[in-house]
Amino acid sequence: KIVKILGREILDSRGTPTVEVEVWTDFGGYGLAKVPSGASTGANEALELRDGDKKRFNGKGVLTAVANVNEKIAPVLVGMEVQDQLSLDQAMLDLDGTEFKKNLGANAMLGVSLAVARAAADELEMPLYKYIGGVQAHRLPVPMLNVINGGEHADSAIDFQEFMIMPVGAPTFSEALRWSSETFQALKSLLHSKNDITAVGDEGGFAPNFAWAYEKQDLASFQAKTPAEIALDLLVEAIEKAGYKTGREGIMIAMDCASSELFLEDKKYHFKKIEKVTGQKWAMTSAEMVAYLEKLVNNYPIISIEDGLAESDWEGFEVLTQQIGDRVQIVGDDLFTTNPKFIKEGISKKAANSTLIKLNQIGTLSETIEAITMSQKAGWTAVVSHRSGETEDSTIADLVVAFNAGQIKTGSMSRSDRIAKYNRLLQIESELGKNAIYDGFATFYNLEA
Ligand code: PGA
Ligand code: ZN
């Protein structure tokens, strides 16, 4: 039984306040969880409760959410059975009583939900992935490593938010990480050789300015190469420089366009960073965006595209999925916000073929499990993800193994808030020994063979 729950305000990887929760049980179980926070958030995410008191952290304090943990949630949950995750989450949902967690805050609820699961696992002296996933939990994920940061995550020259490498041809998870680390280093020396910036963005990927490439371009039109193409060229070069192939036997590329951030009032996608450099309007309609993405897929070893269209552009998502969904993973992040209600709609509309899973978008472990199960039952993939604001908490590493999800998106080969998840997966891999499996390209079981 739960005997004590204690929340407090701590800081995330951007130095912004977030919620930490500790849970104790009568049989000596102890659980600790720290909640992440997004920057390019979806409009339908559950509420991240912030104080709004401008005198503290520019209004971003979380003392109200912490008080909700200590004064509202704790009195209801203390005394309940720690292993009864469904009832514990439901008790919080009932207490909150709103669709988007507006009363308690999803940050308060998720902190408790995860700390409770950890305390239950600890009481049983089990690792978290085994407590949640049971004996079936032995699949290590293919990592999506965000090595070039753009959009809202870095002051780089690229409007698309993320360019990621996926070592689908590696034989094991640890080898996949080695390939990725070597490619990251090769990319760094490439940028260095072009006198570009090697400082990193929020998720640990480089944030280049591409000054060397822009000099040779027709700036007014960007007809030669768009910044996304320059980034993709660089990635291909880095992969080869590190000694790997591109494609199924080697390393493939994933993108998160985070297009909700580009979609402005006139129903066009605006490339604001290109506009800043050129001083001219540079925008695309939804149909032009689909054609542009298809062109990128035809010219580069791209296997996954997240938020290629904006969260309100369901029609665009449907067209994109129809056009290239048989050979490319089409991931909905802002589109679904890990919410079973929207995932269900997406499945019936064939608006994607994969769901991005971010626990704090929905707010409880039980609802997260429902979102993953629903996706997998529909023949979709599910990618377990960090947020751009993170902590050293590595819970998602255990969860991706527990859920048999097969893919994890948790940043680049730098910043300890990102590496903590990879290191935890290395620990799990060695603990599983020869029972550990790594699917590689087969993780895309719903794409063309
Ligand atoms: P966020 O970005 O955590 O800032 O929302 C991550 C993503 O868009 O996938
Ligand atoms: Zn995203």
Short mmCIF file of all heavy atoms in Angstrom, two decimals, residues 40 153 161-162 256-259 306-307 331-334 356 358 361 385 409, ligand 2:
data_model
loop_
_atom_site.label_atom_id
_atom_site.label_comp_id
_atom_site.label_asym_id
_atom_site.label_seq_id
_atom_site.Cartn_x
_atom_site.Cartn_y
_atom_site.Cartn_z
N SER A 40 7.50 22.73 -28.74
CA SER A 40 6.60 22.80 -29.89
C SER A 40 5.40 21.91 -29.59
O SER A 40 5.23 20.84 -30.16
CB SER A 40 7.32 22.36 -31.17
OG SER A 40 7.63 20.99 -31.12
N HIS A 153 13.62 24.49 -31.75
CA HIS A 153 14.60 23.92 -30.82
C HIS A 153 15.99 24.49 -30.95
O HIS A 153 16.88 24.15 -30.17
CB HIS A 153 14.67 22.40 -30.98
CG HIS A 153 13.44 21.70 -30.50
ND1 HIS A 153 13.20 20.37 -30.73
CD2 HIS A 153 12.38 22.15 -29.80
CE1 HIS A 153 12.04 20.03 -30.20
NE2 HIS A 153 11.51 21.10 -29.64
N GLN A 161 12.13 20.84 -37.84
CA GLN A 161 12.65 20.80 -36.47
C GLN A 161 13.75 19.75 -36.24
O GLN A 161 14.68 19.99 -35.51
CB GLN A 161 11.47 20.53 -35.53
CG GLN A 161 11.79 20.54 -34.06
CD GLN A 161 10.52 20.34 -33.24
OE1 GLN A 161 9.74 21.27 -33.04
NE2 GLN A 161 10.30 19.13 -32.77
N GLU A 162 13.62 18.57 -36.89
CA GLU A 162 14.53 17.49 -36.53
C GLU A 162 14.96 16.64 -37.72
O GLU A 162 14.12 16.23 -38.53
CB GLU A 162 13.87 16.57 -35.49
CG GLU A 162 13.42 17.34 -34.27
CD GLU A 162 12.60 16.50 -33.29
OE1 GLU A 162 12.65 15.25 -33.39
OE2 GLU A 162 11.93 17.10 -32.44
N ASP A 256 11.43 15.05 -38.33
CA ASP A 256 10.23 15.61 -37.70
C ASP A 256 10.12 17.05 -38.20
O ASP A 256 10.90 17.91 -37.79
CB ASP A 256 10.34 15.56 -36.18
CG ASP A 256 9.10 16.15 -35.50
OD1 ASP A 256 8.16 16.54 -36.22
OD2 ASP A 256 9.08 16.24 -34.26
N CYS A 257 9.18 17.27 -39.11
CA CYS A 257 9.01 18.61 -39.68
C CYS A 257 8.37 19.56 -38.67
O CYS A 257 8.52 20.77 -38.77
CB CYS A 257 8.15 18.56 -40.93
SG CYS A 257 8.72 17.34 -42.13
N ALA A 258 7.65 18.99 -37.68
CA ALA A 258 6.92 19.81 -36.69
C ALA A 258 6.15 20.92 -37.41
O ALA A 258 6.24 22.10 -37.05
CB ALA A 258 7.86 20.37 -35.62
N SER A 259 5.39 20.53 -38.42
CA SER A 259 4.78 21.50 -39.33
C SER A 259 3.69 22.38 -38.71
O SER A 259 3.34 23.40 -39.29
CB SER A 259 4.19 20.77 -40.54
OG SER A 259 5.22 20.16 -41.27
N GLU A 306 7.67 12.60 -39.40
CA GLU A 306 6.75 12.96 -38.32
C GLU A 306 6.20 14.36 -38.59
O GLU A 306 6.93 15.24 -39.02
CB GLU A 306 7.52 12.92 -37.01
CG GLU A 306 6.75 13.33 -35.77
CD GLU A 306 7.66 13.29 -34.54
OE1 GLU A 306 8.60 12.48 -34.49
OE2 GLU A 306 7.43 14.09 -33.63
N ASP A 307 4.91 14.54 -38.30
CA ASP A 307 4.27 15.85 -38.48
C ASP A 307 4.71 16.55 -39.77
O ASP A 307 5.11 17.73 -39.76
CB ASP A 307 4.51 16.74 -37.24
CG ASP A 307 3.63 16.32 -36.06
OD1 ASP A 307 2.81 15.39 -36.22
OD2 ASP A 307 3.75 16.92 -34.99
N VAL A 331 4.36 9.49 -39.07
CA VAL A 331 4.14 9.57 -37.64
C VAL A 331 3.32 10.80 -37.26
O VAL A 331 3.63 11.91 -37.69
CB VAL A 331 5.49 9.64 -36.88
CG1 VAL A 331 5.28 9.49 -35.38
CG2 VAL A 331 6.47 8.60 -37.39
N GLY A 332 2.29 10.58 -36.46
CA GLY A 332 1.48 11.69 -35.96
C GLY A 332 1.88 12.03 -34.53
O GLY A 332 1.77 11.20 -33.63
N ASP A 333 2.37 13.26 -34.34
CA ASP A 333 2.73 13.73 -32.99
C ASP A 333 1.69 14.76 -32.54
O ASP A 333 0.73 14.40 -31.85
CB ASP A 333 4.15 14.32 -33.04
CG ASP A 333 4.55 15.04 -31.77
OD1 ASP A 333 3.85 14.92 -30.76
OD2 ASP A 333 5.59 15.75 -31.77
N ASP A 334 1.84 16.01 -32.99
CA ASP A 334 0.83 17.03 -32.65
C ASP A 334 -0.56 16.59 -33.11
O ASP A 334 -1.57 16.96 -32.50
CB ASP A 334 1.16 18.37 -33.34
CG ASP A 334 2.37 19.04 -32.73
OD1 ASP A 334 2.89 18.53 -31.73
OD2 ASP A 334 2.80 20.08 -33.27
N LEU A 356 3.32 8.86 -32.38
CA LEU A 356 4.37 9.26 -31.45
C LEU A 356 3.77 9.23 -30.04
O LEU A 356 2.67 9.72 -29.82
CB LEU A 356 4.90 10.66 -31.76
CG LEU A 356 6.26 10.90 -31.10
CD1 LEU A 356 7.36 10.19 -31.87
CD2 LEU A 356 6.60 12.38 -30.97
N LYS A 358 4.13 10.35 -26.29
CA LYS A 358 4.75 11.23 -25.30
C LYS A 358 3.86 11.19 -24.06
O LYS A 358 2.71 11.64 -24.10
CB LYS A 358 4.81 12.65 -25.82
CG LYS A 358 5.84 12.89 -26.93
CD LYS A 358 5.61 14.27 -27.52
CE LYS A 358 6.78 14.74 -28.37
NZ LYS A 358 6.40 15.94 -29.15
N GLN A 361 1.89 14.24 -22.83
CA GLN A 361 0.81 14.78 -23.67
C GLN A 361 -0.55 14.29 -23.18
O GLN A 361 -1.56 14.93 -23.38
CB GLN A 361 0.98 14.33 -25.12
CG GLN A 361 2.03 15.09 -25.90
CD GLN A 361 2.10 14.67 -27.35
OE1 GLN A 361 1.81 13.52 -27.68
NE2 GLN A 361 2.50 15.58 -28.21
N SER A 385 8.69 8.55 -27.07
CA SER A 385 9.47 9.79 -27.23
C SER A 385 9.70 10.58 -25.95
O SER A 385 8.86 10.62 -25.06
CB SER A 385 8.75 10.68 -28.25
OG SER A 385 9.33 11.96 -28.31
N LYS A 409 12.63 7.65 -29.53
CA LYS A 409 13.11 8.94 -30.01
C LYS A 409 13.55 9.71 -28.79
O LYS A 409 12.72 10.14 -27.99
CB LYS A 409 11.95 9.63 -30.72
CG LYS A 409 12.29 10.95 -31.32
CD LYS A 409 11.06 11.61 -31.88
CE LYS A 409 11.39 13.05 -32.14
NZ LYS A 409 10.24 13.87 -32.49
ZN ZN B 2 7.29 16.03 -33.10
#
